[in-house]
Amino acid sequence: RQMCIRDSINAEYGELPHHGHMGALDQLLHTEPLGSRLPEVQAAWDALTAGFEQMAHNGGLTPEVIQMLRGMPLDQTPESFRDRCHVTKFEVEVADGRGQMAVWVVRPNNLNPTPQPAQLWFHGGGFVCGSAASFLNACCQRAFNNSTVLVAPDVGVAPEITAEHWLKNAVLTHDWVIQHSSEIGVDTSKLATSGESAGGFTSLGLCMRLAEQGRADELRLFVSDIGAFDSDFLDAATPEDEADPMHRACSLLQRQALGLLLGTSDPAELESHKTDPSLFPAHMPPELLGLLPPTVLMTSEFDHVGKRCNERFAARLAPHGKLAGLYVQPGVGHGMYTCLLYTSDAADEEDSVDLGGRRIIKKKKRRKY
């Protein structure tokens, strides 16, 4: 992610980034999977699985759990990156008279004052938590390491915002960047979009909406990290029908989260939207796939959301010539970012929450396998 964005934005439109920087990514990420050799990786995956199983056993995404998740620190990026960037907050009017949306513009201090390449970045949080403000340290790190302006909007969280308005907010932010490019110092001919987890959904949804409007060439690159944009978890009739223990637990949570995004608690209604690209943009019509910008998909060897989803979307995208790379990084991903690890011996009572007789740690782990 840190290595490919700047150079890819600067490439000719439509040119797949496959030399130089992408070769470095190949060397870094095309390595032997580690899970079979490192007991720490399996231990981390087992702990994560137990955490999601416990959450599912206790009812999943209840209002109390959502409130708890929204209070968790999601960003452990060093604050030192804040000193290397200038951060400005804007309030942008959203559609349909629904108030204002915060949009954060991050500009590295070492960029010259001329219009610069930019990336529109969307945060993750399982659709129910997270905000651009809660990831500002990470935003500064991304902007600095990529030598780009970074724009991060608060598109909203479910159930307060449903999928329809969620993607409207994404397009609105893109249009705002173009309209205010002189004010924020952005070169509109060199725009990319990126996102993590639910942010991958938002980024891909933005690409889809622009393609529908005949504006696909306004984005030069799409980078998704552990993106959650497919309905693979609905392939099994019920969560209990999933073969893998993690998928059994996670499928319930995904169904609940996407139900909130759709605005329903009816499993049958969610099932009826299984191929709806407004909810699952990986199901966009084939004629739109060939209009997408060059796409880099990243996931992890052990990833309850991203691996299966991204591999399937990569298979759809590749024949259309828009897949710049699918990188399955060794180790455990996704849940390790928010550290939903249940334990019975929390070291700090103030940094944990009791759920069903066990404790969930609110702090993020310092080590990620």
Side-chain angles (χ1 to χ4, degrees):
R1 175 182 59 227
Q2 305 291 358
M3 301 176 65
C4 69
I5 289 180
R6 172 77 187 213
D7 290 342
S8 297
I9 294 175
N10 287 328
E12 291 297 320
Y13 176 75
E15 175 185 327
L16 289 179
H18 53 75
H19 297 298
H21 50 284
M22 296 304 290
L25 273 177
D26 285 338
Q27 294 176 22
L28 283 173
L29 301 181
H30 282 176
T31 57
E32 181 183 352
L34 301 178
S36 61
R37 293 196 288 113
L38 291 181
E40 296 93 338
V41 170
Q42 189 63 52
W45 182 246
D46 290 344
L48 192 59
T49 300
F52 278 98
E53 287 178 332
Q54 185 68 25
M55 181 180 287
H57 177 75
N58 290 331
L61 293 177
T62 64
E64 294 77 16
V65 168
I66 292 175
Q67 189 63 33
M68 181 273 296
L69 291 173
R70 291 180 180 180
M72 291 177 63
L74 301 177
D75 185 1
Q76 74 175 91
T77 309
E79 293 185 5
S80 59
F81 282 97
R82 294 287 290 272
D83 298 330
R84 306 178 189 183
C85 299
H86 179 73
V87 180
T88 307
K89 179 183 179 183
F90 296 86
E91 295 290 344
V92 178
E93 294 289 336
V94 298
D96 305 328
R98 291 178 291 109
Q100 293 183 321
M101 170 179 62
V103 176
W104 300 83
V105 177
V106 179
R107 188 182 187 89
N109 297 332
N110 59 1
L111 288 186
N112 66 52
T114 59
Q116 295 293 311
Q119 55 177 306
L120 184 54
W121 182 79
F122 297 99
H123 67 82
F127 297 99
V128 298
C129 65
S131 66
S134 65
F135 284 99
L136 276 183
N137 290 344
C139 289
C140 290
Q141 182 187 45
R142 287 180 173 85
F144 182 83
N145 286 349
N146 286 292
S147 297
T148 64
V149 176
L150 184 143
V151 180
D154 284 334
V155 294
V157 291
E160 291 87 343
I161 302 294
T162 59
E164 175 188 2
H165 292 299
W166 191 296
L167 293 185
K168 282 184 178 180
N169 288 347
V171 175
L172 178 68
T173 305
H174 172 81
D175 292 343
W176 180 87
V177 169
I178 294 177
Q179 294 162 8
H180 293 80
S181 58
S182 297
E183 179 183 358
I184 62 177
V186 165
D187 182 350
T188 58
S189 70
K190 297 179 179 179
L191 296 179
T193 185
S194 59
E196 291 186 354
S197 190
F201 157 87
T202 315
S203 291
L204 182 57
L206 170 63
C207 294
M208 177 182 70
R209 290 289 185 247
L210 292 180
E212 290 171 343
Q213 298 170 16
R215 303 165 58 196
D217 59 354
E218 293 180 8
L219 290 173
R220 308 293 292 274
L221 179 72
F222 164 47
V223 179
S224 172
D225 194 1
I226 55 175
F229 38 60
D230 200 355
S231 59
D232 55 294
F233 61 92
L234 290 176
D235 288 348
T238 68
E240 292 73 21
D241 293 323
E242 289 274 10
D244 182 84
M246 169 59 91
H247 281 298
R248 283 197 292 273
C250 191
S251 176
L252 171 65
L253 303 178
Q254 288 182 278
R255 289 167 189 248
Q256 291 175 331
L258 271 296
L260 292 171
L261 188 63
L262 180 62
T264 183
S265 59
D266 182 1
E269 184 174 358
L270 178 62
E271 176 69 27
S272 70
H273 286 265
K274 182 177 178 179
T275 59
D276 179 1
S278 296
L279 195 63
F280 303 108
H283 287 279
M284 71 179 73
E287 59 268 23
L288 296 183
L289 293 174
L291 301 177
L292 297 181
T295 297
V296 178
L297 302 176
M298 294 188 289
T299 182
S300 297
E301 176 191 8
F302 293 92
D303 188 347
H304 54 285
V305 174
K307 187 171 186 291
R308 186 170 65 181
C309 160
N310 280 265
E311 288 177 335
R312 190 157 81 172
F313 183 57
R316 282 201 74 207
L317 189 59
H320 298 271
K322 293 298 184 177
L323 180 65
L326 168 66
Y327 298 100
V328 180
Q329 303 173 71
V332 180
H334 223 118
M336 298 304 292
Y337 290 91
T338 50
C339 197
L340 300 178
L341 301 181
Y342 288 80
T343 178
S344 59
D345 55 350
D348 188 342
E349 294 296 316
E350 294 183 357
D351 291 314
S352 60
V353 176
D354 186 23
L355 287 177
R358 307 188 81 183
R359 304 205 64 84
I360 179 168
I361 304 301
K362 293 171 67 177
K363 285 184 176 179
K364 290 183 69 176
K365 290 184 98 60
R366 292 295 178 186
R367 184 180 183 187
K368 179 167 71 70
Y369 298 103

